[in-house]
Amino acid sequence: MSEKCPNCLSGRVGRNNYGKKTAGVVGASAGTYGGYAAATAGAQAGAALGIVAGPVGATVGGIGGAVIGALLGGATGASAGVILGDVLDERVLDNYRCLDCGYSFSDDAGSPGR
């Protein structure tokens, strides 16, 4: 991209990144929920193994498994969402905005603005 506004030819152009932001939040939320749900089964297994250390070990093993699963799921979902959002920003949305005239446009300067 030439980094110039096709409307006013200004060099002051910024990126909106709406797709990246939105898909990242949705991915993180879905990943956290999915990770927690999957980790619940893991927490039961951790609690069963923790019984060897007594009731406190079972509780710590169960809670630790659920928390770690939710955190890993959230991080994985956010990463996938950001990648998908970046593709949306670059190929579908008018990701660039002129900071002087407010014109929105995509990498293809011939597309109509919003």
Side-chain angles (χ1 to χ4, degrees):
M1 183 184 148
S2 65
E3 296 289 330
K4 285 195 174 190
C5 173
N7 189 43
C8 71
L9 302 178
S10 169
R12 293 177 16 106
V13 174
R15 292 177 148 223
N16 294 325
N17 292 330
Y18 294 134
K20 186 184 289 188
K21 293 172 188 174
T22 303
V25 169
V26 170
S29 300
T32 300
Y33 176 75
Y36 177 76
T40 303
Q44 291 173 350
L49 292 174
I51 278 192
V52 174
V56 174
T59 303
V60 170
I63 293 172
V67 169
I68 289 172
L71 289 174
L72 289 175
T76 303
S79 297
V82 166
I83 291 169
L84 173 63
D86 193 37
V87 171
L88 286 174
D89 283 336
E90 294 301 321
R91 304 222 173 155
V92 177
L93 302 174
D94 288 340
N95 193 39
Y96 299 97
R97 176 177 299 278
C98 177
L99 300 176
D100 288 334
C101 71
Y103 184 75
S104 292
F105 57 98
S106 66
D107 197 16
D108 176 19
S111 70
R114 293 186 183 162

